Amino acid sequence: MTAALGVAAAVEVGSAGTAAAYGWTRTLQQGVSGSDVVELQIRVGGWAASSAQQTYVAWDGEFGPATAAAVGRFQSAYGLSADGVVGPQTQSVLNSLEKSDGSTAHFAWSEFTSHDGSGFGGGKVGSTQVKENVRRLMYKLEAVRKKAGNSSITINSGFRSTSYNASVGGASNSMHVYGDAADIVVSGHTTLQVYRIAETCGFSGLEAYSHSWQHVDSRVQYPSYGSGSWWWESGVV
């Protein structure tokens, strides 16, 4: 998993914050590998499962069965032929979810900055990495939004500087301080309903649905951050 993060990091500077849509140069399908596959895996990460399952789409750059299955679910959701092959039509839809500043169609960077005014700085990793982690989170949240019937999502808390996290009583190793966590409210949906949706989106950290928000994070995909085990506080619902 650490190696997978290394591959993904190579994508970071070249894709996040660019002024144009991602430049797909080939059709992607099972058996291929490369940095473009990592980018694909980031974008379909929220389609990891069709039902509650502790699984995720690895950012390893290898187009295997799990990536193909996630692509098929994405294609089906967006009215495409669900063949698991990423050709021009699928690439076009994937790019429609990207804004010119590197954020995603329904989320803005400003929604995820620390509430103490420190932007993406002051966390446990550098601001560039925080922003990349937020970008990956955004794509999973795009899947939550789609599965919730295109309902709007409010971000109550995204990235937190370590000082702000401490001031609100957050755990010292909270995924918020890395930019990998969000506390969300989905319009027209209870937290129980949101929890159930999140169980299909590759999130390995889910706080109990008894709050007025739903916490989501991808801790297992960041083993170097020290939270590399599954935490679904309410279990499988």
Side-chain angles (χ1 to χ4, degrees), residues 36-230:
D36 50 357
V37 177
V38 176
E39 186 60 30
L40 170 67
Q41 291 167 330
I42 290 169
R43 297 187 182 211
V44 301
W47 300 91
S50 57
S51 60
Q53 189 174 351
Q54 292 188 341
T55 189
Y56 59 89
V57 179
W59 303 317
D60 60 5
E62 301 292 333
F63 198 132
T67 299
V71 168
R73 294 183 195 101
F74 175 89
Q75 291 170 323
S76 180
Y78 284 90
L80 301 169
S81 176
D83 57 8
V85 177
V86 185
Q89 282 189 312
T90 300
Q91 290 165 3
S92 178
V93 176
L94 287 167
N95 279 0
S96 74
L97 294 176
E98 175 188 358
K99 287 195 294 217
S100 62
D101 66 353
S103 61
T104 64
H106 300 102
F107 299 98
W109 296 118
S110 59
E111 296 179 86
F112 293 84
T113 54
S114 185
H115 291 328
D116 62 355
S118 60
F120 291 123
K124 287 200 171 182
V125 292
S127 58
T128 299
Q129 188 60 56
V130 166
K131 194 171 182 180
E132 174 62 11
N133 295 347
V134 167
R135 187 178 77 92
R136 298 176 187 209
L137 175 60
M138 284 178 173
Y139 277 106
K140 287 191 178 182
L141 292 176
E142 288 286 353
V144 172
R145 189 183 190 280
K146 186 71 171 177
K147 294 175 187 182
N150 296 313
S151 298
S152 62
I153 295 178
T154 299
I155 309 298
N156 281 355
S157 183
F159 167 69
R160 299 174 186 167
S161 68
T162 55
S163 59
Y164 178 72
N165 182 63
S167 75
V168 297
S172 61
N173 67 336
S174 167
M175 296 307 287
H176 284 283
V177 300
Y178 300 98
D180 173 53
D183 297 339
I184 64 174
V185 175
V186 181
S187 178
H189 291 69
T190 66
T191 48
L192 172 57
Q193 291 171 322
V194 177
Y195 188 102
R196 284 174 170 159
I197 292 171
E199 288 179 302
T200 72
C201 295
F203 288 115
S204 42
L206 296 176
E207 192 171 8
Y209 58 80
S210 55
H211 303 283
S212 59
W213 67 86
Q214 181 60 56
H215 171 98
V216 296
D217 69 55
S218 301
R219 60 187 61 203
V220 168
Q221 292 180 263
Y222 296 94
S224 64
Y225 295 168
S227 298
S229 58
W230 287 84

